[in-house]
Amino acid sequence: MSVPSGQRSASRRALLTAAPAVLLVVLVIGAALLTALLQSLGFLPVFGEARFSTEAWADGASLLESAGVSLYLATASTALALVVGFLVAAYALTAGRGGRLVAALSAATIPIPHLVASGAIGLLLADAGFLARVLGMPEGFPQLVGDSWWAAVILEFAWKESAFVALVVLGGIGRPVAELTETAATLGASARQRMLHVILPLARVPLGVAGLVVFVYTLGSYEAPWLLGPVAPEPLSVRAVRLFGSVDLSSRPEAMATALTSVAVALAVIGLGLLLTRRSRRRSRAQSGVSS
Amino acid sequence: MSSSLTFDAVSHRFGAEEVLRDITLCVPESSCVALLGASGSGKSTLLRIAAGLLPPSAGQVRIDGEDVTAVEAEKRETGLVFQRPLLFPHLSVVDNVAFASRMAGGSKAESRRQAREYLELVQLADYAQRMPGQLSGGQEQRVALARALARRPRILLLDEPFSSLDLGLREDMYELLETIREQLRPTIVLVTHDRREASVLADTIAVLEHGEILQHAPVAQIHHQPASPAVNRILGGLNEVLGVIRAGVHHSALGRITVAPDTPDGPALLMPRQESLQLTGAGEAPARGTVTQIRPSGAHTLVRVTLDAAADQERVDVAVEVTGTPRLSRGDTTGVGLRGTAGWVVPL
Ligand SMILES: Nc1ncnc2c1ncn2[C@@H]1O[C@H](COP(=O)(O)OP(=O)(O)OP(=O)(O)O)[C@@H](O)[C@H]1O
Ligand SMILES: [Mg+2]
């Protein structure tokens, strides 16, 4: 396929305009990653002599365990946030005034910092927390904070991020969908069918994008697991922050190794996500019979 | 499979604004009623109420005499085609048309087979596999029509479905609607602001203005016997001649014109359509006047004449539609007469 020269020069110009920004991002992130890598290999010690060492990476079992916990947390939180966020968006689109109220309430949670939200969830769900007291069952109340399933952490992430998901979905599909759901209603589709057969397929792309963002964010965020999770095992984010803030300055390389593992997991997931979206786009194009 | 539709004293308000006022209208089984009105007169609102997308503030909607006001849109068995096609962008043409059957629990294969029949009806069978974005506007609108028909609605509601199409396509759609009426005999409510479209497609026309029905009558009758000057104007009538009725005869600058014998004496407006008037030689005519404007429009010409009035009469301008181009120019004197014998008046 040949590209017309006008188009080629236009795309070159677009590339040139974007270049300064891209360069800056690549420089900053590249430098940070390189520093982290060097430090994890013992080249940039806080004190003492630079010396190559893979010691920081030696405790592979513990790194892997942390990675596993992080993956579990991010996956569960993202899945729950996607479901709740989609339901909120669908309700906002179809339920008129009541729906707009729900959307506004959900959007109002976005500026609350995760630290504050985690604290609130802790006060609400802890063994001696608000809910347990209100329900009058300090004994029988399930352990949600600091439990081995990380329930409170996942709930906190899902609550906060579902608002973000709802906002992205609403922005991504918006008003035309309200008209399409009305059309579906006149064609005999029940409320549930309208949600599954009209809103969900149209929200697939915004859901995918929001899901990737939420996943990467929850992977790197440490406040909620640090406040609401059990002491051990640690997810990567908590481990990295603990090691980085440790009084023992020699644990700095290990902190860097942990952070780099987290980056690697995030990059792998982003790559997988992009691959999946591209494939689904290609499939839908093939379905519609367009050759490209 | 068709049913009658009745609006019984339906009113609707958006906040403080009363959009529909006490609408009572009956659409008999298998007939086509056109709702004709200017933009903002409440046509779409009435249709949305009929489809169950909007609960009316007051009044009832009845299908075959049964009150369906509280029945939700998905259970109401009405098909609605909007001004824009609103095809589902994630479904192919055939799956758009198969949508209603799928939602009703039909299998994929059977739903698609039925959908193809409706696509054939709108002559788009060859386009079944395309996505909506790959159709022209007229094709999309035809798919939307097929999709609504595939639900086999008892009542088909059309909200200005052809207004975005060019003239040629619109004629094609009129043909298509004719075919559909012959083959499926649905009850149709057609919303339009185009009086020609209303006249071509409908059996009766209901004129809506500011949320009220001014008149509902068969097409020819509403043109020639409008209930008020407003209806006359909405249907394109250009003439209102003020005069006096005495013993069943209207006296005005247009001469003496016989009207219905039971018309009470007194002042009355005569409303002859421009198509019902003719120009005659100045000598023999009962009414004469001066040509003030000649406006050609294709095969017809509209001639405006200021009639000579007696001392006790109002000055009157009338418009006369003439076939072809008349041999007249501004300032000429001409006679004007009514084709036929009886006139239509509205007492003042
Ligand atoms: N959702 C709404 N909220 C408030 N006012 C509305 C709403 N929908 C319609 N209206 C008002 O109701 C009136 C009638 O609207 P409607 O859409 O029924 O007009 P229409 O006759 O279909 O006009 P058009 O020919 O332009 O489509 C208008 O004045 C409009 O502003
Ligand atoms: Mg309208």
Side-chain angles (χ1 to χ4, degrees):
Chain A
M1 199 172 76
S2 73
V3 183
S5 66
Q7 201 174 323
R8 200 185 303 154
S9 80
S11 69
R12 190 176 304 159
R13 201 171 319 132
L15 215 64
L16 276 179
T17 347
V22 173
L23 213 64
L24 199 67
V25 170
V26 168
L27 266 179
V28 171
I29 294 186
L33 287 180
L34 191 67
T35 315
L37 184 66
L38 289 177
Q39 211 165 23
S40 78
L41 294 174
F43 284 121
L44 294 171
V46 183
F47 55 83
E49 222 168 278
R51 185 174 53 82
F52 174 76
S53 141
T54 54
E55 215 172 285
W57 296 90
D59 194 0
S62 142
L63 259 185
L64 265 185
E65 187 187 40
S66 286
V69 172
S70 280
L71 269 179
Y72 161 70
L73 276 181
T75 309
S77 308
T78 304
L80 200 58
L82 285 179
V83 171
V84 174
F86 171 72
L87 289 178
V88 168
Y91 186 71
L93 279 171
T94 50
R97 198 175 301 167
R100 284 198 291 279
L101 187 72
V102 168
L105 276 181
S106 124
T109 64
I110 288 182
I112 302 176
H114 270 278
L115 194 61
V116 176
S118 302
I121 290 264
L123 292 177
L124 188 71
L125 296 182
D127 300 345
F130 185 73
L131 260 193
R133 285 171 202 229
V134 165
L135 298 177
M137 42 191 258
E139 249 82 286
F141 196 74
Q143 194 192 356
L144 297 172
V145 174
D147 67 318
S148 56
W149 289 105
W150 302 76
V153 182
I154 292 169
L155 282 176
E156 196 277 335
F157 276 140
W159 168 44
K160 284 274 298 159
E161 296 308 312
S162 65
F164 169 74
V165 172
L167 213 64
V168 171
V169 170
L170 280 174
I173 56 179
R175 234 190 91 71
V177 166
E179 291 178 329
L180 289 173
T181 49
E182 279 191 343
T183 308
T186 68
L187 292 168
S190 67
R192 201 173 141 266
Q193 287 175 322
R194 298 199 286 272
M195 192 176 285
L196 287 179
H197 296 281
V198 180
I199 304 181
L200 185 57
L202 293 174
R204 223 174 44 191
V205 171
L207 276 178
V209 171
L212 269 185
V213 173
V214 170
F215 188 93
V216 171
Y217 177 80
T218 45
L219 199 71
S221 169
Y222 79 95
E223 298 100 321
W226 174 64
L227 261 174
L228 300 172
V231 180
E234 285 171 320
L236 289 170
S237 54
V238 174
R239 188 176 194 265
V241 170
R242 177 178 57 78
L243 291 172
F244 193 80
S246 163
V247 284
D248 179 5
L249 287 179
S250 60
S251 45
R252 202 49 85 73
E254 237 182 309
M256 291 306 154
T258 314
L260 282 174
T261 310
S262 175
V263 169
V265 171
L267 283 179
V269 168
I270 290 176
L272 195 71
L274 289 182
L275 203 72
L276 282 179
T277 39
R278 186 164 310 167
R279 184 175 303 170
S280 96
R281 201 173 300 157
R282 196 174 317 140
R283 192 165 15 148
S284 70
R285 208 178 296 156
Q287 260 172 8
S288 66
V290 184
S291 57
S292 58
Chain B
M1 80 180 200
S2 67
S3 303
S4 71
L5 172 71
T6 310
F7 297 98
D8 194 355
V10 167
S11 297
H12 192 75
R13 38 176 74 246
F14 287 113
E17 187 192 356
E18 189 160 44
V19 175
L20 293 174
R21 204 167 317 145
D22 204 20
I23 301 281
T24 296
L25 177 70
C26 182
V27 185
E29 186 184 329
S30 294
S31 74
C32 176
V33 172
L35 276 175
L36 182 66
S39 182
S41 55
K43 307 181 298 288
S44 296
T45 307
L46 190 60
L47 224 51
R48 290 170 62 80
I49 287 173
L53 293 174
L54 191 68
S57 309
Q60 289 183 345
V61 179
R62 280 203 278 270
I63 294 180
D64 282 340
E66 187 189 333
D67 184 2
V68 296
T69 318
V71 176
E72 292 160 328
E74 64 253 38
K75 304 210 180 82
R76 205 176 269 200
E77 297 184 67
T78 48
L80 179 54
V81 178
F82 296 88
Q83 191 164 344
R84 295 184 300 122
L86 294 176
L87 299 182
F88 301 119
H90 59 289
L91 297 178
S92 66
V93 165
V94 67
D95 285 335
N96 260 281
V97 180
F99 188 83
S101 168
R102 291 287 285 153
M103 293 303 110
S107 75
K108 198 167 205 164
E110 176 58 18
S111 303
R112 282 189 175 165
R113 196 193 57 70
Q114 282 177 14
R116 284 213 165 75
E117 285 176 16
Y118 286 96
L119 280 176
E120 228 146 75
L121 182 67
V122 300
Q123 294 167 9
L124 283 178
D126 296 342
Y127 295 76
Q129 297 307 324
R130 295 222 191 167
M131 295 306 281
Q134 305 168 316
L135 299 178
S136 74
Q139 290 166 341
E140 285 196 12
Q141 200 57 282
R142 266 142 77 191
V143 175
L145 193 58
R147 179 177 65 176
L149 288 170
R151 197 197 173 189
R152 307 199 187 156
R154 292 154 80 183
I155 291 155
L156 186 60
L157 307 166
L158 306 175
D159 192 354
E160 306 194 35
F162 314 132
S163 63
S164 61
L165 307 182
D166 69 45
L167 280 176
L169 264 178
R170 224 181 283 188
E171 295 297 330
D172 292 349
M173 295 297 282
Y174 296 167
E175 291 281 320
L176 172 61
L177 212 59
E178 255 342 279
T179 316
I180 287 167
R181 286 197 69 188
E182 274 164 26
Q183 294 193 6
L184 307 175
R185 310 204 56 73
T187 305
I188 300 178
V189 181
L190 169 76
V191 158
T192 177
H193 56 242
D194 179 347
R195 58 174 181 269
R196 201 184 82 80
E197 183 168 291
S199 310
V200 170
L201 293 176
D203 303 315
T204 59
I205 295 178
V207 172
L208 198 63
E209 193 180 60
H210 302 311
E212 279 181 292
I213 291 195
L214 301 183
Q215 188 178 4
H216 178 205
V219 173
Q221 187 186 340
I222 206 165
H223 276 88
H224 292 285
Q225 301 180 353
S228 65
V231 173
N232 185 40
R233 266 172 247 150
I234 289 171
L235 283 152
L238 296 172
N239 296 323
E240 290 162 20
V241 180
L242 185 61
V244 181
I245 305 274
R246 266 180 253 122
V249 176
H250 186 262
H251 300 257
S252 71
L254 207 52
R256 297 160 177 219
I257 289 171
T258 316
V259 298
D262 54 350
T263 315
D265 284 4
L269 274 183
L270 181 76
M271 288 184 285
R273 286 192 68 86
Q274 55 274 23
E275 298 92 347
S276 311
L277 292 177
Q278 58 188 349
L279 298 180
T280 59
E284 74 231 48
R288 265 182 317 190
T290 315
V291 175
T292 54
Q293 192 189 32
I294 298 177
R295 211 176 63 200
S297 63
H300 296 273
T301 306
L302 198 68
V303 181
R304 289 185 190 269
V305 180
T306 301
L307 297 175
D308 301 339
D312 61 336
Q313 285 169 338
E314 294 264 333
R315 209 190 82 137
V316 173
D317 294 299
V318 291
V320 183
E321 192 174 287
V322 185
T323 316
T325 318
R327 288 220 201 103
L328 282 171
S329 46
R330 271 182 64 182
D332 287 356
T333 302
T334 177
V336 179
L338 188 69
R339 292 173 202 266
T341 50
W344 172 256
V345 292
V346 174
L348 286 179

